Amino acid sequence: MTKDSYTSTLRAAALELGAELFGVADVRHFLSPEYTGNRPQDFMESARSVIVLGVAVPRGSIESLPKGRAEYTNTLMAGTATLRLIAFRLARRIERDGYRATIVPTEGSEFGYWYADRETLMADMSIKYAAYAAGLGSYGANHLLITDEFGTRIRMTAVVTDAPLGDGGDPSRPFLHEDCKECMRCVAACPAGAFTADGTIDRKKCADYMFHTLGGLRCGLCIQACPK
Ligand code: SF4
Ligand code: SF4
């Protein structure tokens, strides 16, 4: 099977399992100078491809913010659980086909332990960057990925594998979404002042707001503000 036909087979399998977004990035994208985070090659030396999987977050949970924070948080976690099952089954499928696969966490912190570095909040790799590299969207001023299909209303995970797959990257896609310049609604909406219109972000401010001020519930106001 060619790598493009194997990619199509895995796409069909992922959609059958319930994924609403599917894309593939070659791990070499993570060597680009524009990427400064940790790389999938750091935890899987043989990695060749990153499969990005997503499910859309129901609009009702976002529109009910800020009063419906509990419902929003629970809805997000339901998305995480859904992705975990889809990714697990896809990873097992890939291994039955003779390759290796492992699953990247959707959450930075969960069940009282941390997947991301507790101080810097850096993950082992950026799923958002993988999605951008796979051609699924561009970054917004809120530092989230604005996907073509679901805007910022998306929950994602990634499967890192040594299977050679067809890269979905689009070199003409801008890194920053072109509509943000005239908008900046998310900057005004952030109660923690975590990011600014000039592109800087202080992730600790966001994390402190959610984990301390909100007692662990998710905020989501930068997603609610986004018209995409
Ligand atoms: S989730 Fe809330 S606190 Fe965090 S960046 Fe978005 S608006 Fe700001
Ligand atoms: S709210 Fe506006 S500026 Fe912020 S990410 Fe969405 S489109 Fe871009």
Side-chain angles (χ1 to χ4, degrees), residues 10-165:
L10 292 183
R11 176 192 298 275
L15 298 186
E16 178 72 19
L17 288 167
E20 295 177 278
L21 194 74
F22 177 97
V24 174
D26 190 300
V27 292
R28 285 175 291 189
H29 285 288
F30 287 84
L31 302 174
S32 162
E34 75 188 354
Y35 181 73
T36 54
N38 295 318
R39 302 182 170 105
Q41 299 92 316
D42 295 338
F43 59 82
M44 183 192 262
E45 278 184 31
S46 62
R48 294 174 80 172
S49 308
V50 180
I51 301 170
V52 179
L53 302 166
V55 289
V57 178
R59 286 188 191 279
S61 68
I62 296 167
E63 289 167 359
S64 67
L65 290 169
K67 183 79 177 72
R69 279 192 193 111
E71 291 72 21
Y72 174 65
T73 304
N74 187 49
T75 304
L76 289 187
M77 295 307 126
T80 299
T82 302
L83 285 169
R84 185 169 278 149
L85 275 179
I86 295 168
F88 186 83
R89 289 177 177 154
L90 198 69
R92 287 294 302 125
R93 160 71 194 263
I94 291 167
E95 295 221 332
R96 282 196 301 275
D97 291 337
Y99 302 105
R100 290 286 182 267
T102 189
I103 305 167
V104 180
T106 299
E107 306 294 329
S109 163
E110 193 178 27
F111 309 132
Y113 56 84
W114 288 78
Y115 294 116
D117 184 281
R118 188 189 285 257
E119 293 305 315
T120 64
L121 304 180
M122 287 259 292
D124 280 351
M125 59 159 271
S126 168
I127 297 173
K128 279 185 290 186
Y129 185 77
Y132 160 71
L136 297 173
S138 294
Y139 277 79
N142 53 11
H143 295 254
L144 299 174
L145 196 82
I146 302 178
T147 61
D148 296 341
E149 211 171 340
F150 303 108
T152 52
R153 209 170 45 81
I154 190 79
R155 208 81 185 136
M156 295 188 288
T157 188
V159 174
V160 176
T161 177
D162 58 4
L165 298 171

Side-chain angles (χ1 to χ4, degrees), residues 196-220:
T196 59
D198 66 10
T200 59
I201 184 166
D202 185 341
R203 290 188 175 80
K204 285 286 278 179
K205 284 187 178 172
C206 171
D208 285 346
Y209 182 71
M210 292 197 285
F211 289 112
H212 298 123
T213 309
L214 301 185
L217 293 179
R218 299 302 196 260
C219 163

Side-chain angles (χ1 to χ4, degrees), residues 140-142 146 152 179-180 183-187 222 225-228:
N142 53 11
I146 302 178
T152 52
D179 292 350
C180 290
C183 173
M184 296 297 162
R185 293 185 206 177
C186 52
V187 177
C222 52
C226 187
K228 292 290 155 197

